[in-house]
């Protein structure tokens, strides 16, 4: 009897406890939707299937394009009286660069004066001989000699005038000075003369180099283990210390056939447009050469990646109401492109601006 009552008590307690047991709350999923205001804050880019690109980084320097420069030579020996420009100055076509006093120019003017006098004398002799010949006093031979002397005098004058024209023409004067003028619009990129310098006949060197700097050359050194990685036509990105956030893009247009005996490096040349005039000769440059490989892989903008807990993720965008997180594996990063494998495919759209904010919201869509 007592056992029966005891069992009944236990059953009653269990039944009572079961009646008061609280049910566990159900989890609810709140889908994340991009609002109209947030839609203005994000940017979308696309996954692409591209050939992998390898890069090498080289050191180089900016130089002027030697095909678009003018070297200004002295026309005659003498002494520099005044130099009107400095290294780096901008000059216009016809602008006076330097004034030179030359004994040769002064001598040419003196010879020209003498030649004019000889012409006048020869002309009078010719006229007199012509009159004598007409009156039967002078012979035909004497008339021909007078004509020849007159032509010779004119030839001497013509030669002296040509010499003066070569030495500057209207930019010379009888005092023996002449000017050198800029042949083009551009910049003084080399200057080898100052006031007071003497110019000797045996020098044979130029005084100025003028370049328009509309395009420049970048020379870079390639060491032996990287020679196979560079080819004419390869894309090159150039960065300078002066403009660290600006990238100049060009192509390799020439590769040397010999190595420098001192540095054991091969020199390559890259031509860059410099319409803005930002690049100056002798600037240090970092050159990144891109070379396309034969293997293809999915590529996405590097800025689309989200790194968390040692893994890489992207936010796939189908619409403002259809977004998902996808994990990817990074193969390699080349500049602003990253080659990946993972659960995305060619043509998928990714959020590339403020994607971390969207990523966190998607992680929080499931709340208790």
């Amino acid at each position: 009897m007592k056992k029966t009552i005891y069992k009944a008590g236990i059953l009653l307690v269990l039944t009572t406890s079961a009646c008061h047991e609280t049910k566990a709350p159900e989890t609810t999923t709140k889908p994340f939707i991009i609002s109209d205001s947030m839609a203005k804050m994000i940017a979308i880019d696309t996954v692409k299937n591209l050939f992998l690109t390898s890069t090498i980084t080289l050191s180089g320097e900016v130089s002027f394009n030697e095909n678009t420069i003018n070297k200004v030579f002295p026309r005659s020996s003498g002494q520099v009286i005044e130099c009107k420009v400095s290294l780096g100055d901008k000059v216009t076509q016809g602008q006076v660069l330097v004034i030179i006093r030359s004994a040769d120019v002064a001598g040419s003017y003196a010879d020209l004066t003498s030649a004019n006098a000889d012409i006048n004398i020869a002309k009078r002799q010719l006229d007199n001989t012509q009159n004598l010949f007409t009156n039967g006093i002078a012979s035909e031979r004497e008339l021909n000699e007078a004509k020849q002397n007159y032509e010779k005098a004119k030839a001497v004058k013509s030669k002296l005038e040509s010499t003066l024209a070569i030495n500057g023409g209207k930019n010379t004067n009888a005092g023996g000075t002449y000017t050198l003028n800029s042949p083009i619009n551009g910049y003084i990129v080399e200057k080898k003369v100052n006031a007071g310098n003497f110019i000797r006949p045996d020098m044979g060197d130029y005084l100025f180099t003028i370049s328009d700097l509309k395009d420049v050359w970048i020379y870079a050194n390639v060491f032996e283990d990287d020679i196979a990685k560079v080819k004419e036509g390869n894309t090159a990105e150039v960065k300078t210390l002066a403009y660290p956030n600006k990238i100049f893009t060009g192509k390799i247009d020439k590769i040397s056939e010999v190595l420098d005996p001192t540095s054991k490096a091969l020199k390559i040349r890259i031509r860059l447009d410099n319409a803005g005039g930002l690049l100056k000769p002798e600037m240090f440059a970092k050159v990144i050469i891109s070379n396309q490989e034969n293997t293809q892989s999915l590529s996405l903008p590097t800025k689309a990646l989200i790194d968390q807990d040692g893994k890489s993720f992207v936010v796939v965008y189908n619409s403002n109401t259809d977004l998902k997180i996808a994990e990817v594996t990074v193969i390699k990063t080349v500049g602003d492109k990253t080659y990946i494998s993972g659960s995305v495919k060619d043509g998928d759209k990714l959020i590339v601006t403020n994607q971390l904010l969207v990523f966190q919201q998607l992680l929080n869509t499931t709340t208790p």
Side-chain angles (χ1 to χ4, degrees):
M1 182 65 179
K2 290 181 179 180
K3 290 182 177 180
T4 303
I5 294 172
Y6 178 74
K7 290 180 178 179
I10 293 174
L11 182 62
L12 178 62
V13 172
L14 294 172
T15 305
T16 304
S17 299
C19 290
H20 289 83
E21 186 178 350
T22 303
K23 293 182 178 180
E26 296 180 356
T27 59
T28 58
T29 301
K30 299 177 181 179
F32 174 65
I33 298 174
I34 294 180
S35 63
D36 292 340
S37 59
M38 182 175 284
K40 298 177 182 178
M41 300 168 58
I42 64 173
I44 308 295
D45 211 325
T46 307
V47 178
K48 299 176 182 178
N49 195 33
L50 300 175
F51 285 99
L52 278 109
T53 301
S54 62
T55 62
I56 58 172
T57 302
L58 311 171
S59 60
E61 67 177 11
V62 181
S63 180
F64 42 79
N65 183 343
E66 294 181 6
N67 292 331
T68 61
I69 63 172
N70 273 265
K71 295 186 183 294
V72 180
F73 288 83
R75 296 189 181 94
S76 183
S77 61
Q79 184 181 19
V80 177
I81 302 303
E82 184 179 1
C83 186
K84 292 182 171 291
V85 294
S86 300
L87 185 67
D89 282 358
K90 183 177 182 179
V91 295
T92 57
Q93 186 175 11
Q95 180 178 334
V96 176
L97 305 177
V98 66
I99 301 173
I100 300 170
R101 179 183 291 121
S102 171
D104 292 340
V105 172
S108 293
Y109 271 100
D111 291 341
L112 183 62
T113 301
S114 177
N116 284 325
D118 290 342
I119 288 177
N120 292 332
I121 293 171
K123 182 67 169 63
R124 286 197 299 270
Q125 288 178 344
L126 174 62
D127 292 341
N128 290 336
T129 304
Q130 181 69 53
N131 290 332
L132 292 173
F133 177 76
T134 302
N135 295 321
I137 299 174
S139 65
E140 184 177 354
R141 181 179 61 81
E142 292 172 327
L143 178 60
N144 289 334
E145 286 180 355
K147 288 180 179 179
Q148 290 175 358
N149 290 335
Y150 178 62
E151 294 299 326
K152 287 178 181 178
K154 290 199 299 181
V156 171
K157 178 183 177 180
S158 177
K159 180 181 178 180
L160 290 169
E161 289 176 337
S162 297
T163 301
L164 285 171
I166 293 172
N167 286 334
K170 63 180 180 180
N171 296 322
T172 64
N173 61 49
T177 62
Y178 71 94
T179 62
L180 294 179
N181 302 69
S182 175
I184 60 170
N185 298 327
Y187 297 86
I188 304 294
V189 296
E190 279 188 303
K191 176 175 176 283
K192 296 185 175 183
V193 66
N194 289 298
N197 290 164
F198 284 91
I199 300 170
R200 302 192 309 272
D202 60 340
M203 284 179 61
D205 199 7
Y206 57 89
L207 305 184
F208 302 95
T209 300
I210 302 174
S211 173
D212 59 16
L213 294 181
K214 290 181 180 178
D215 55 66
V216 294
W217 286 346
I218 310 294
Y219 285 105
N221 293 319
V222 183
F223 292 100
E224 286 189 61
D225 53 346
D226 289 325
I227 289 177
K229 300 176 184 177
V230 296
K231 297 178 177 63
E232 287 190 15
N234 282 164
T235 299
E237 293 182 348
V238 178
K239 296 181 179 180
T240 61
L241 293 175
Y243 312 103
N245 298 321
K246 187 172 180 61
I247 297 176
F248 302 88
T249 303
K251 291 186 180 296
I252 298 175
D253 72 343
K254 187 175 182 180
I255 299 176
S256 175
E257 295 296 331
V258 295
L259 273 66
D260 183 274
T262 304
S263 64
K264 300 299 181 183
L266 190 71
K267 195 174 290 293
I268 64 171
R269 188 181 74 192
I270 300 145
R271 183 174 178 176
L272 288 185
D273 178 71
N274 190 36
L278 298 179
L279 297 173
K280 315 295 184 186
E282 305 301 327
M283 273 186 173
F284 174 79
K286 181 172 77 172
V287 181
I288 302 171
I289 305 296
S290 298
N291 192 15
Q292 185 173 285
E293 300 177 5
N294 294 325
T295 306
Q296 285 189 315
S297 175
L298 293 174
S299 170
L300 50 80
T302 302
K303 61 183 180 180
L305 291 173
I306 301 167
D307 294 321
Q308 184 160 306
D309 299 328
K311 298 179 180 180
S312 297
F313 302 90
V314 292
V315 177
V316 180
Y317 174 92
N318 295 313
S319 69
N320 286 351
T321 60
D322 185 4
L323 304 111
K324 69 175 183 179
I325 297 172
E327 183 179 351
V328 297
T329 300
V330 174
I331 299 174
K332 67 188 302 185
T333 297
V334 180
D336 59 353
K337 291 187 179 67
T338 295
Y339 297 92
I340 56 95
S341 62
S343 53
V344 293
K345 61 183 184 299
D346 186 21
D348 279 352
K349 295 181 179 179
L350 307 178
I351 298 179
V352 296
T353 302
N354 289 319
Q355 70 273 22
L356 183 58
L357 176 61
V358 177
F359 177 79
Q360 294 293 344
Q361 291 293 334
L362 289 173
L363 288 181
N364 298 329
T365 52
T366 301
T367 58

